Amino acid sequence: LTIGLLLSAWLARYLGPKEFGVLNFSIAFVALFSVFASFGLNSVTSRELTQRPQDKHIILGSVCTIQLFGNILLILLATFSISMLPNPPPQAAIFVAIISFGHIGKAANFSRIWFESQTKSKFIAATEIILFSLLALTRIILLVSNAPLSAFVWTICAESLLTGMALVAVYSLNNKGELTRLKPKISEIKWMLSECWPLVLSGGLVLINFNLDKIMLAQIAGDFEVGIYTAATRLVESLNFIPLAVSASVAPALARAAQRSPLEYSNSSRKVYTALAAISILIGFCLFITSNTIINVLYGVDFAPSSTILSIHSWALIFVFHISFRTRLHTIEHKQRIILSFSCLTVLVNLVCNLLLIPRWGALGASWASLASWVSSALIFPLFTSETRRQMRSLIKKPRPSNH
């Protein structure tokens, strides 16, 4: 994580706010469509592998098929949409095409899901560390040799493709002879799509919420503002893996607890939530009080306005942690429609706030809009129904001893 942040800061200094803004606009634009890379299947597939281990080959084969076609759809949608956008940044159309092509490698995500369902994430972690080291070395060579912006775009594409090949290799090594036994089944694919469509929509809306600000900044305020904004948000977003990793790791155990006893499930969920809340508050506070120092040391004077943006997003991190874990709980409880409803409202708040604040305050306005949307999703929207109010109470009241 530290090496990644330092490389990102070095790249930002090397490119400057404007070119750094073009690069991150292209990444954000592809991310708008990246829900098709997973089709919202990750958490549902993990749950089904835990509950139906005997159907492993059908489940994984069906997931791989859906995600392969989903990533082809992503490439087509991203490249077509950027061509229709008025006044895109220079070379953005080419960069979007290159970055989106790399998503073909994400069809191998079935391997990651399987290891997570078996609580064997260490194999995936080791693989990603090796790949990250190789790609980090490549980026350092490019930086030292004064490579053009396009070279760094190609490394993003290569990273996705190489990760996909590595995931297939790791799965094959740990499940000898089973790769060829993966077989998609039409009935399973239909069931998965019917089960996951709320997650597809809600996942797409979450991605829009994370990237809408960058797209709107580029269109309304220009590439420089995108670069200033992204320098700060990159730091915060790099920490979003914490709730996602924790949620993925504990999901199989929580799913089994839900089957055994509602009380055990409630108490276990509460303990994880309390730990994540404490971690997020500690990280948010540390980022807030050191925002000026972090930006000055990492990015330099050209990115000085990013310090205020970082201080705002440090508090948004707390609510993102909460929402990430709550979404996993809703999936375990088969309440995907709640996820979809909250996601729609969150994007609506973000869109309205961005339209009101970006024209006047640029990147700073986008930061306040983002914080408002996450606060609304975490604290306000759950008050709308008795079901979500009960869940909020169950996560914060004092745990009771489990009967098991």
Side-chain angles (χ1 to χ4, degrees):
L1 177 61
T2 303
I3 295 173
L5 288 175
L6 291 175
L7 278 176
S8 178
W10 188 0
L11 179 61
R13 281 175 174 264
Y14 174 76
L15 295 176
K18 190 173 179 64
E19 282 201 328
F20 192 62
V22 173
L23 174 63
N24 283 284
F25 169 87
S26 304
I27 295 171
F29 195 87
V30 174
L32 290 177
F33 305 95
S34 61
V35 66
F36 298 110
S38 67
F39 259 98
L41 287 167
N42 292 8
S43 54
V44 170
T45 305
S46 178
R47 182 191 70 202
E48 294 305 308
L49 286 171
T50 302
Q51 298 177 354
R52 296 190 288 137
Q54 71 279 6
D55 295 330
K56 164 187 168 181
H57 299 109
I58 293 175
I59 293 171
L60 293 179
S62 299
V63 169
C64 182
T65 301
I66 293 171
Q67 293 186 340
L68 176 61
F69 284 99
N71 280 288
I72 293 172
L73 179 61
L74 177 151
I75 296 170
L76 297 174
L77 287 174
T79 52
F80 173 76
S81 298
I82 190 66
S83 67
M84 303 299 291
L85 194 69
N87 302 318
Q91 294 186 287
I94 297 173
F95 294 163
V96 165
I98 294 170
I99 294 170
S100 61
F101 178 75
H103 275 69
I104 288 292
K106 295 187 182 295
N109 203 44
F110 71 89
S111 172
R112 184 194 307 276
I113 300 171
W114 183 82
F115 280 109
E116 287 177 351
S117 72
Q118 305 300 305
T119 59
K120 296 180 179 178
S121 299
K122 61 182 180 181
F123 293 103
I124 298 299
T127 303
E128 291 180 335
I129 288 172
I130 294 171
L131 277 174
F132 174 80
S133 300
L134 292 173
L135 288 162
L137 180 61
T138 301
R139 289 187 173 106
I140 290 172
I141 293 171
L142 291 174
L143 286 164
V144 172
S145 59
N146 295 318
L149 174 57
S150 58
F152 298 97
V153 175
W154 278 109
T155 63
I156 296 171
C157 176
E159 182 175 8
S160 297
L161 292 173
L162 290 173
T163 299
M165 289 187 282
L167 287 175
V168 172
V170 172
Y171 180 86
S172 183
L173 288 171
N174 284 271
N175 299 271
K176 295 188 183 299
E178 292 197 12
L179 189 62
T180 55
R181 295 177 62 190
L182 301 184
K183 48 184 179 181
K185 191 175 180 180
I186 297 298
S187 59
E188 185 75 16
I189 290 174
K190 288 180 178 178
W191 178 85
M192 283 184 168
L193 291 176
S194 67
E195 182 76 3
C196 290
W197 73 264
L199 290 175
V200 174
L201 292 176
S202 62
L205 290 168
V206 168
L207 290 167
I208 290 172
N209 203 50
F210 268 114
N211 296 284
L212 182 66
D213 38 21
K214 302 179 187 73
I215 305 301
M216 294 183 70
L217 271 173
Q219 292 293 294
I220 298 173
D223 302 330
F224 180 87
E225 289 291 309
V226 179
I228 292 296
Y229 182 80
T230 310
T233 58
R234 272 270 183 102
L235 292 169
V236 177
E237 289 172 3
S238 67
L239 299 169
N240 289 344
F241 81 93
I242 297 174
L244 294 174
V246 171
S247 299
S249 298
V250 302
L254 289 176
R256 289 189 288 268
Q259 289 181 309
R260 289 193 298 266
S261 162
L263 180 59
E264 181 185 354
Y265 171 68
S266 179
N267 286 337
S268 299
S269 300
R270 190 184 302 112
K271 291 174 183 176
V272 177
Y273 173 76
T274 302
L276 282 174
I279 293 169
S280 65
I281 292 170
L282 177 61
I283 294 174
F285 178 73
C286 291
L287 286 176
F288 179 76
I289 62 175
T290 60
S291 57
N292 281 324
T293 303
I294 290 173
I295 294 300
N296 288 334
V297 170
L298 290 180
Y299 295 103
V301 293
D302 289 344
F303 289 86
S306 298
S307 61
T308 305
I309 296 167
L310 177 58
S311 65
I312 296 171
H313 279 270
S314 65
W315 296 116
L317 184 73
I318 297 170
F319 303 103
V320 172
F321 270 49
H322 168 88
I323 294 165
S324 295
F325 183 61
R326 184 187 68 191
T327 299
R328 180 67 71 161
L329 294 182
H330 282 149
T331 304
I332 292 172
E333 298 163 12
H334 299 270
K335 295 176 181 175
Q336 287 91 328
R337 284 173 176 79
I338 292 178
I339 302 172
L340 177 58
S341 300
F342 285 1
S343 299
C344 286
L345 293 170
T346 304
V347 170
L348 181 60
V349 170
N350 198 13
L351 176 62
V352 171
C353 290
N354 273 317
L355 286 172
L356 293 173
L357 300 176
I358 287 179
R360 185 168 182 179
W361 288 294
L364 187 61
S367 301
W368 285 114
S370 180
L371 178 59
S373 68
W374 293 123
V375 170
S376 299
S377 182
L379 300 181
I380 298 175
F381 301 153
L383 300 176
F384 292 173
T385 69
S386 58
E387 188 175 24
T388 49
R389 286 197 298 270
R390 280 195 301 272
Q391 187 194 56
M392 284 185 71
R393 285 195 297 269
S394 71
L395 287 174
I396 60 178
K397 71 178 181 181
K398 185 177 180 180
R400 291 178 292 174
S402 175
N403 292 335
H404 297 271

